[in-house]
Amino acid sequence: MQPPVYPWNLEQLLRGRPTVGGMLDLCEENYRLIGRLSPGLQEMRGRHLSCLDYGMDLHLEVLAQSRYTSVIHITYYFAHADRSVPDPDATLRVYHDAGQAEVIDLRQSALPFGRAYTYPALEQKWRLNLFLSKWLSYCVQQGHCFLPQEPERRRRAPSTLLLSCP
């Protein structure tokens, strides 16, 4: 399976000014990636875990579910001293009717940007959602998958792994 091919140059993207149309395209890409990661999201409730024999466990919690919208929390938990540290730690709103997914809150330690929207909001939203897109793409490539009927799922090693949810 090939990773998503973006119609933009990442370096140029981070230097340039985002547009509303570009933001909508990015949110559509995030929605497609969420759909690959968790098909049947609209039927999911509670906490789910995707375990890989060769990587980090990915945690997904459905915080709210309505007819057209889901609010989900997705994270890794890293062991640190005597506690677990979530990183990256994202809360997302998924608009099923519009085919969009966007960051509500994002905490991560990899890139130097805040977690709340600030002025100019479009640029900040763009960076947060771009990070989300890259992370979700990585999770899909790794073989993570959440299914409504399987709260915990263990996947095979990469050499025998089918990189899409059944």
Side-chain angles (χ1 to χ4, degrees):
M1 175 180 67
Q2 294 292 326
V5 177
Y6 296 102
W8 50 75
N9 175 310
L10 184 60
E11 183 179 311
Q12 184 180 26
L13 174 71
L14 292 175
R15 280 186 289 147
R17 306 281 309 177
T19 64
V20 172
M23 181 66 192
L24 292 173
D25 289 344
L26 185 56
C27 288
E28 287 174 7
E29 177 66 20
N30 288 343
Y31 182 80
R32 283 190 293 276
L33 290 166
I34 287 288
R36 297 218 20 227
L37 193 61
S38 56
L41 176 62
Q42 286 182 279
E43 291 82 40
M44 295 173 74
R45 303 285 185 271
R47 295 175 188 227
H48 297 264
L49 181 64
S50 176
C51 302
L52 301 174
D53 291 337
Y54 50 88
M56 292 289 298
D57 295 346
L58 186 62
H59 300 257
L60 181 136
E61 182 178 6
V62 179
L63 302 174
Q65 196 70 277
S66 67
R67 185 174 182 184
Y68 301 111
T69 308
S70 301
V71 177
I72 62 173
H73 175 253
I74 188 167
T75 192
Y76 293 126
Y77 286 104
F78 289 89
H80 181 69
D82 60 343
R83 62 189 173 100
S84 292
V85 177
D87 193 10
D89 187 41
T91 303
L92 317 174
R93 182 168 288 120
V94 181
Y95 303 95
H96 301 288
D97 56 338
Q100 304 270 322
E102 71 170 335
V103 172
I104 297 173
D105 185 42
L106 176 65
R107 300 169 194 196
Q108 52 79 38
S109 59
L111 296 175
F113 49 80
R115 51 182 261 236
Y117 296 143
T118 58
Y119 181 81
L122 181 61
E123 186 172 324
Q124 185 70 0
K125 287 178 84 166
W126 177 263
R127 289 176 180 257
L128 294 174
N129 282 283
L130 182 61
F131 178 90
L132 174 67
S133 178
K134 296 297 186 182
W135 180 38
L136 293 177
S137 179
Y138 174 77
C139 291
V140 168
Q141 289 175 36
Q142 289 291 298
H144 282 292
C145 182
F146 301 100
L147 298 173
Q149 66 274 19
E150 297 181 24
E152 183 174 326
R153 178 175 182 80
R154 183 155 302 275
R155 301 292 295 222
R156 296 171 286 180
S159 61
T160 60
L161 179 65
L162 298 173
L163 290 178
S164 61
C165 288

